[in-house]
Amino acid sequence: MAKLAQGSRTMFDLTLSEFLDWFYTHPEERQAMIADEPPAVGRFEDAWLGAVSEHLARRWNLEIPAWVDQPHRFLDRPFFAGGLESLKAILLAESPLAFRKRQIFVEAEPLRRARMPRDSAAE
């Protein structure tokens, strides 16, 4: 997770994609991958990393790391993915708990990747 907290927003997005691909294809490493708190890099990214780690822990029945509840892992104002007013109601309803509690409103499966198993039983 610490590697995610370095570089530009584009680098952040690319690194997160690589992280997720590795997370999904190496189930034996999952808990260790989210255990250590990444350094703070920016309000949105810090909140996003907290949401990602908590969501992955909940989704794959892992222990939720305590660091995800640090105050800087939450936004002060809501963020709606996509930026379209017409999507807000859908995003409010679909957002997983880990994102919603941080005021990040996203689709129902915000960490979808081609390598993502269909469900936790699919491993």
Side-chain angles (χ1 to χ4, degrees):
M1 200 45 90
K3 184 179 174 186
L4 289 174
Q6 303 169 0
S8 69
R9 183 65 183 267
T10 301
M11 183 58 78
F12 180 86
D13 293 344
L14 290 172
T15 305
L16 179 60
S17 295
E18 290 176 8
F19 171 86
L20 291 171
D21 285 342
W22 190 268
F23 183 91
Y24 294 143
T25 57
H26 294 82
E28 71 284 356
E29 296 180 29
R30 289 178 180 162
Q31 187 69 61
M33 291 178 71
I34 62 171
D36 295 331
E37 181 174 13
V41 291
R43 192 64 171 196
F44 178 79
E45 291 82 1
D46 294 346
W48 189 263
L49 291 176
V52 165
S53 294
E54 181 178 338
H55 180 69
L56 290 172
R58 289 179 185 283
R59 180 87 162 76
W60 302 102
N61 299 313
L62 303 171
E63 183 179 329
I64 298 171
W67 65 262
V68 303
D69 288 326
Q70 296 294 320
H72 69 281
R73 300 289 173 188
F74 294 82
L75 295 180
D76 295 329
R77 290 188 298 225
F79 168 82
F80 289 88
L84 297 175
E85 188 69 30
S86 60
L87 290 177
K88 284 185 176 180
I90 293 169
L91 298 177
L92 280 167
E94 286 188 356
S95 293
L97 174 63
F99 290 86
R100 196 171 53 242
K101 75 186 221 182
R102 288 172 176 81
Q103 297 193 75
I104 300 173
F105 299 98
V106 294
E107 65 165 307
E109 195 59 75
L111 305 178
R112 183 180 302 122
R113 302 282 303 152
R115 294 183 178 169
M116 180 180 150
R118 289 198 171 157
D119 60 36
S120 58
E123 303 183 78

